[in-house]
Amino acid sequence: MNERLLLLVESNTTGTGRLFARRAAELGAVPVLLCADPGRYPYAAEDRLRTVTVDTSDEDALWATVRSLEDGATVAGVLTSSEYYVPTAAALAYRLGLPGPAADAVRACRDKAEQRRILTAAGVGSADFAVVSEVAGALAAARGIGLPVVVKPVQGSGSLGVRLCTDLGEVAEHAGTLLSATVNERGVTAPGRILVEEYLTGPEFSVEVFGTEAVVTVAKHVGPLPVFVETGHDVPAALPGEQEIALRETAVRAVRALGLGWGAAHVELRLTGTRTAQVIEVNPRLAGGMIPELVRRACGTDLVRAQVLAALGAAPELERGRHARASIRFLTCDQDGILAPSAALHEAVDRARTVPGTVEALLYRGPGEPVGPAEDFRGRVGHVIAVADRAGRAAEAAGRAVALLGEAVSYADLHTEEAYA
């Protein structure tokens, strides 16, 4: 029997990576994970996902591996759930004559400096910025833009390396740290350039776009500065009509300006006025942070399934089938602590699940593991999801449940016997 393969080029480590593979199987395709290090993705072994080890940064090696898979099988689609590998997957899909985003557009979008240039040229509202390759340039940019400024990598994901700097000393220190890195957290060569940006204030949202259609607007919650760790989302955002329109229209304009328009795009924005939406950044991929799962539970729209269908050359299904509200809250810590023994962990999770409306409560780490203040998404310890008929009820339930989940953390001194053994 000739198998239809959906190739998954690397993955994110949590959330939608696993869902991509499951949706592919539900649609009759065989998911195959192509990755340099299978150990990075524990779900692959747990789900018995077919995995092929290959250097995904080597185009020739990747192509040879793909051609070898075509013996007795048909490659029907190529996708990735990892932002770092969207250009690789797009280029591979194009080379195979399969559906996907324009590889050049994705590469430009992934470079946040080039993305800013394109959006500015198209008149799409976004922050003032400068691209620099040395600390002196970062200091000059901060003086020109005006403090405080956001200093961040030109490539990255999950708020990694993004920091608000309130004085020139902080600018110099953080710029120096970013510029001294030779590779990023995925082992990919760092480009040696960073962004210094105007700090946009106002409530933060995302618009989940599919093709050139704004599917849903998401209210985002961000933890304490100077970092920008997302601590929760509400779907759909409860907004006055004019603000909803401003966010949606700006997001679609940004997607069009960047030459995207195939599959999912996650557009992050701030409302800096009653009807003024400013783009923080456009990500040419499905949202992370469990947002697709919130959209499915609140709206009945399965964005993961839609993305897989598009990759397989079928029409995506974006119809809204529900009118509920869904909220997620992530468990983060404001000081060093340690997770409780196994029994106490299970008890905390069970208590969180008893909150009316809570449909999911998870801890990401095991008994006795240390935790500390989150610098980026990797510092999140767990999450809860709540669903209700009103936005306020879902958000309240999620807040109560995550507080109960937090009882799994002890803040005793890790260097004394007071800490959990």
Side-chain angles (χ1 to χ4, degrees), residues 87 101-111 114 118 255 257-261 284:
D104 289 344
V106 169
R107 288 191 194 95
C109 189
R110 276 283 298 135
D111 186 314
E114 184 61 19
I118 293 170
V255 165
L258 291 163
L260 303 174

Side-chain angles (χ1 to χ4, degrees), residues 216-232:
V216 67
T217 303
V218 180
K220 303 171 77 67
H221 300 266
V222 180
L225 298 170
V227 294
F228 294 85
V229 179
E230 294 178 358
T231 57

Side-chain angles (χ1 to χ4, degrees), residues 294-321:
L294 296 182
V295 175
R296 186 185 69 82
R297 289 184 179 275
C299 307
T301 305
D302 191 335
L303 292 173
V304 177
R305 180 182 172 89
Q307 188 82 332
V308 172
L309 282 168
L312 294 173
E317 301 166 354
L318 297 172
E319 294 78 10
R320 182 166 181 160

